[in-house]
Amino acid sequence: MSEPRYDVVAIGNAIVDILAPATDDFIADNGMTKGAMALVFSPEEADALYARMGPGQEVSGGSAANTIAGMAALGASCAFIGQVADDQLGEVFAHDIRAAGIRFDTPARAGAPTTGRCLIFVTPDGQRTMNTFLGASHYLPAGALDRDLIADARYLYLEGYLWDPEEPRAAMRVAIDVARAAGRKVAFTLSAEFVIDRHRAAFHDLIDHGLIDVLFANEAEIMSLTETTDVETAIDAVRHKVPLVVVTLSERGACAIAGDARVCVAAQPIDKVVDTTGAGDLFAAGFLHGQARGQSLEASLTLGAICAAEVIQHFGARPVADLKALVAGV
C-alpha cells in the first residue's frame, strides 16, 4: 500500500451558514426547538425564515467541510467532495474552502435547487438552533467522485447528515468501497439523532459489516443508535464492532474506546461559550489530525478538545485563532 498524498478526503454537505443572534422568545415564537437542527424542505420556506432573521454573517459550513477546515488549519493535507449549485452561494463556498488550502474539484450543478444554506440562530447562552435547506448538496452523484483522490487519502471521512438523500448516500457507499479496496480507513460521524432515527438499520449494517474504522458520536447520538438510555451501555454495544469509537460528552470531555481499552480527557477550560456551532466538527478535526500523525489516543483527544474549545468561543464553525499555536505543546 502506497503512502497517501492526503490525510483526509471528506464527503459532506456543501452549505453556507448564515448566523444571527436571537432571543429565546424568537426561537419559541417561530416553532423551533432550541439547540436542535431541523430541515427546511423548500427554498420558499428558507427565504421566509431568512427574512425574519436579524443582521447576520455568512460563513461557509457543512459538518464534514468544517472538520477538514479545522484539519487544514492544523497543517493536514485535505480534500473535499460536495455539491454546490452554479450560483453566488456556491461561489462563496468554493472560494472559502479553497482559500483554506483544501482541494475542491466537484463541478457546480446547473439549475435548481440553489446551493444549500443553514440559518443558524444563536441565543445569548451560546446555543445554536439550526434550520438547514440542503439544496444542491442533495444531488451529489457517484459520478462526481474522484476515485483516485479517495484512494490516495489516509482517511475517508463521511458525514451522517448526507445519508438522508438517496443520490449522495449511493455515492458514499461507492466511496467506502473505493477506500477499503485501497486499504484506507473510513471514519463516520453520526451527526444527529433525527438522522439516526431514519437510518439506524443502515448504520448498523455498516458497523456489522466492518465498514467503519472510526465512529464519532456525542452521548445522545450513541444512545440513539443503540436505543439505550445509558451512555455506557451504548458504548458497550458497539465497542467490539468498530475498531475505534470516539464519544464526546460536552463539558465532561470525551473518550476514545478501542475494544477493551478506554482513554478519556477533560474538556478544555474556556472563558465563555459564545456559539456551540461546529464544536463536534472541530473536535473530530483535532482527533483525526492526531491519528493521521500517529499520535496516541490521549494526545488525539486533547487536540480535539482544544479545537472544540476554540470554536465555541466565537461565532461560526470555522477556526479563527491559530490552531497550530494552540496545539503546539501536545
Side-chain angles (χ1 to χ4, degrees):
M1 184 172 62
S2 62
E3 186 68 14
R5 291 176 56 205
Y6 295 91
D7 291 307
V8 61
V9 56
I11 301 178
N13 284 309
I15 291 176
V16 176
D17 292 340
I18 303 172
L19 301 100
T23 63
D24 288 344
D25 287 343
F26 179 91
I27 300 298
D29 291 345
N30 283 273
M32 304 177 204
T33 301
K34 182 178 175 179
M37 198 285 273
L39 291 177
V40 177
F41 293 101
S42 74
E44 293 78 17
E45 185 182 355
D47 288 343
L49 185 57
Y50 178 66
R52 296 195 293 273
M53 290 184 84
Q57 56 180 288
E58 294 179 356
V59 184
S60 292
S63 176
N66 293 337
T67 293
I68 59 165
M71 291 190 71
L74 289 165
S77 177
C78 304
F80 180 75
I81 298 171
Q83 189 66 65
V84 297
D86 186 11
D87 58 17
Q88 184 176 356
L89 285 182
E91 292 175 2
V92 168
F93 181 90
H95 171 270
D96 286 355
I97 202 162
R98 290 170 182 152
I102 297 162
R103 178 175 171 178
F104 176 60
D105 300 328
T106 311
R109 184 177 186 273
T114 58
T115 296
R117 52 190 144 145
C118 184
L119 308 180
I120 304 176
F121 299 90
V122 184
T123 44
D125 59 358
Q127 286 294 309
R128 81 283 187 271
T129 302
M130 300 183 291
N131 299 266
T132 304
F133 173 63
L134 293 168
S137 63
H138 257 194
Y139 296 91
L140 175 71
L145 299 178
D146 184 333
R147 299 185 183 210
D148 291 338
L149 176 65
I150 293 167
D152 210 10
R154 194 178 307 276
Y155 285 93
L156 170 66
Y157 183 74
L158 302 175
E159 171 187 331
Y161 282 129
L162 198 57
W163 204 261
D164 247 7
E166 181 178 351
E167 200 165 14
R169 182 167 65 245
M172 287 193 284
R173 285 278 196 179
V174 171
I176 290 172
D177 291 341
V178 171
R180 298 199 72 80
R184 308 309 187 190
K185 292 184 177 180
V186 177
F188 191 92
T189 175
L190 290 174
S191 292
E193 292 170 75
F194 80 89
V195 176
I196 299 165
D197 286 342
R198 288 206 279 265
H199 302 289
R200 186 176 288 105
F203 292 168
H204 277 295
D205 184 67
L206 293 175
I207 291 169
D208 292 343
H209 284 85
L211 299 180
I212 297 176
D213 299 290
V214 186
L215 180 67
F216 288 96
N218 62 30
E219 56 187 320
E221 291 160 2
I222 197 78
M223 288 189 292
S224 176
L225 176 70
T226 56
E227 297 182 280
T228 61
T229 56
D230 176 71
V231 68
E232 294 302 327
T233 302
I235 289 170
D236 285 342
V238 298
R239 66 189 305 164
H240 294 295
K241 296 181 179 181
V242 180
L244 183 54
V245 180
V246 184
V247 181
T248 55
L249 304 167
S250 191
E251 70 278 0
R252 305 196 313 281
C255 295
I257 303 96
D260 291 325
R262 179 184 182 124
V263 179
C264 299
V265 301
Q268 292 286 307
I270 60 170
D271 294 327
K272 180 184 178 182
V273 175
V274 174
D275 172 19
T276 56
T277 308
D281 302 335
L282 267 293
F283 178 89
F287 184 88
L288 274 182
H289 181 72
Q291 289 293 284
R293 292 294 183 270
Q295 291 185 260
S296 67
L297 291 178
E298 182 177 8
S300 297
L301 287 167
T302 301
L303 289 172
I306 292 171
C307 292
E310 189 280 337
V311 82
I312 65 175
Q313 294 184 82
H314 58 77
F315 276 106
R318 302 278 174 95
V320 297
D322 184 347
L323 291 187
K324 288 183 182 179
L326 290 178
V327 306
V330 180

